[in-house]
């Protein structure tokens, strides 16, 4: 077994173990709130709180199953498209926020803002375990996903960008870059499109900057693959940035879009995101569509390269 493959397998087991505390915490929140022994999060009614955390329980369970699928023999028997899609969404959620985790520690900005619905009053030890779960799963996926994909589709990681067919740059790359620029504009203090400036906190700025970076990086990578330039660039490099960048656009905006729509519709007490809600909905909708379209471009290019080999 190759050294890289061994590292990927160990990382997959580590990712599954790292996400287990998050799963158990979320189960305890659902059960505890239903039994009346744990408080409901600020700005939520009982039904909304239970639904939100039940969804995250399911997401955590799928994440653990995904990590095991990347290392166990039965993972090679699952339809490749299903594993690849789950790995892409998982990478978009957690691999993309690894820089946020590092910056959050350096800036003492830890907390639950990545999860999009954590209770700000959670005990410190729970916050530490949640952070550990996210960062451990993200780091594990960063190593395990490429190893799995390399075992299953080795031809995608060989050759140069110029070996593939040249096509017109997809419109999704341009739209994704535009979305990323808006997020970066907000991250550096821009106020156009901001409805509640006082609601901007350090986590919001840092996460906006990280999201903007991945949107631009993913868009640039997809453009490189489509144009087959620069020709001598190893193919795996734009694939990595295109994979994580498109996944970040799709996964995070796919999570934030229904939350934003719910806030706009229900106007819950204590829930006032900084962005204008209409602008936020448009940006998240665009991000979901272009993220999926960018992945389609990467997959189609891989299929054409394999057919020409």
């Amino acid at each position: 077994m190759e050294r890289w493959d061994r590292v990927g397998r160990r990382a997959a087991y580590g990712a599954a173990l790292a996400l287990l505390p998050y799963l158990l915490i979320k189960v305890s929140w659902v059960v505890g709130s239903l039994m009346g022994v744990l408080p409901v999060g600020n700005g939520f009614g009982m039904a909304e709180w239970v639904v939100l955390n039940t969804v995250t329980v399911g997401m955590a369970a799928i994440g653990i199953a995904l990590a095991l699928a990347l290392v166990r023999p039965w993972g090679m028997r699952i339809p490749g498209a299903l594993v690849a899609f789950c790995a892409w969404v998982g990478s978009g959620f957690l691999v993309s926020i690894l820089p946020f985790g590092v910056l959050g520690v350096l800036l003492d900005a830890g907390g639950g803002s990545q999860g999009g619905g954590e209770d700000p009053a959670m005990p410190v030890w729970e916050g530490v375990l949640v952070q550990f779960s996210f960062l451990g799963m993200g780091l594990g996926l960063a190593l395990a996903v490429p190893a799995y994909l390399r075992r299953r589709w080795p031809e995608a990681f060989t050759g140069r960008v110029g070996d593939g067919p040249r096509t017109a740059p997809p419109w999704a790359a341009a739209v994704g870059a535009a979305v990323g620029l808006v997020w970066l504009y907000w991250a550096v203090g821009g106020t156009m499109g901001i409805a509640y400036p006082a609601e901007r906190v350090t986590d919001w700025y840092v996460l906006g900057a990280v999201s903007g970076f991945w949107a631009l990086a993913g868009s640039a990578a997809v453009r490189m693959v489509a144009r087959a330039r620069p020709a001598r660039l190893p193919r795996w490099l734009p694939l990595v940035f295109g994979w994580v960048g498109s996944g970040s656009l799709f996964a995070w905006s796919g999570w934030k879009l229904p939350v934003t729509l719910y806030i706009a519709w229900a106007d819950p007490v204590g829930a006032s995101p900084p962005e204008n809600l209409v602008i936020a909905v448009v940006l998240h909708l665009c991000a979901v569509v272009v993220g999926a379209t960018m992945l389609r471009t990467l997959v189609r290019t891989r299929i054409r390269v394999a057919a020409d080999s």
Side-chain angles (χ1 to χ4, degrees):
M1 188 186 302
E2 297 182 12
R3 180 180 179 183
W4 175 246
D5 199 38
R6 289 198 299 269
V7 171
R9 291 177 183 273
R10 291 169 183 170
Y13 284 121
L17 288 174
L19 198 56
L20 187 58
Y22 179 79
L23 173 64
L24 296 177
I25 287 172
K26 284 311 190 95
V27 169
S28 72
W29 286 9
V30 173
V31 175
S33 59
L34 288 174
M35 295 179 62
V37 297
L38 288 178
V40 173
N42 293 334
F44 292 92
M46 173 65 76
E48 293 92 342
W49 182 248
V50 170
V51 169
L52 174 64
N53 285 286
T54 300
V55 170
T56 55
V57 166
M59 293 170 65
I62 292 173
I64 293 173
L66 168 64
L68 295 177
L70 297 176
V71 65
R72 300 302 302 165
W74 51 265
M76 298 295 286
R77 297 193 294 269
I78 298 175
L82 177 60
V83 180
F85 177 77
C86 292
W88 174 63
V89 173
S91 299
F93 265 126
L94 298 175
V95 175
S96 68
I97 62 166
L98 287 175
F100 171 78
V102 175
L103 291 172
V105 172
L106 294 177
L107 298 173
D108 195 26
S113 54
Q114 315 94 297
E118 309 292 355
D119 185 359
M122 77 170 74
V124 173
W125 66 268
E126 280 192 353
V128 170
L129 284 178
V130 168
Q131 286 284 77
F132 169 78
S133 290
F134 285 163
L135 296 180
M137 182 67 175
L139 183 59
L141 289 179
L143 299 173
V145 169
Y148 175 88
L149 297 178
R150 187 166 172 261
R151 288 196 305 272
R152 193 148 189 176
W153 296 287
E155 71 280 357
F157 293 86
T158 60
R160 306 279 177 176
V161 170
D163 299 337
R166 185 172 184 176
T167 60
W171 60 266
V175 177
V179 171
L181 287 173
V182 173
W183 288 338
L184 287 177
Y185 165 74
W186 285 342
V188 298
T191 57
M192 187 178 299
I194 299 297
Y196 301 100
E199 296 296 324
R200 295 180 295 183
V201 296
T202 304
D203 278 9
W204 183 86
Y205 284 111
V206 176
L207 190 56
V210 171
S211 299
F213 164 77
W214 281 117
L216 290 176
S219 299
V222 170
R223 180 179 173 82
M224 288 180 188
V225 171
R227 295 182 66 250
R229 293 288 186 275
R232 302 307 300 166
L233 186 71
R235 184 185 295 130
W236 66 265
L237 190 58
L239 285 180
V240 168
F241 282 94
W243 175 272
V244 179
S246 62
S248 176
L249 282 164
F250 180 88
W252 278 107
S253 285
W255 169 259
K256 292 178 180 179
L257 179 59
V259 173
T260 305
L261 289 172
Y262 170 76
I263 292 174
W265 171 69
D267 192 22
V269 177
S272 299
E275 311 95 311
N276 177 283
L277 292 179
V278 174
I279 295 176
V281 166
V282 171
L283 288 175
H284 291 320
L285 184 59
C286 288
V288 170
V289 174
V290 301
T293 305
M294 288 162 63
L295 176 67
R296 186 183 182 191
T297 299
L298 295 176
V299 171
R300 280 187 166 183
T301 302
R302 182 195 69 82
I303 292 174
R304 292 194 193 101
V305 170
D308 294 339
S309 301

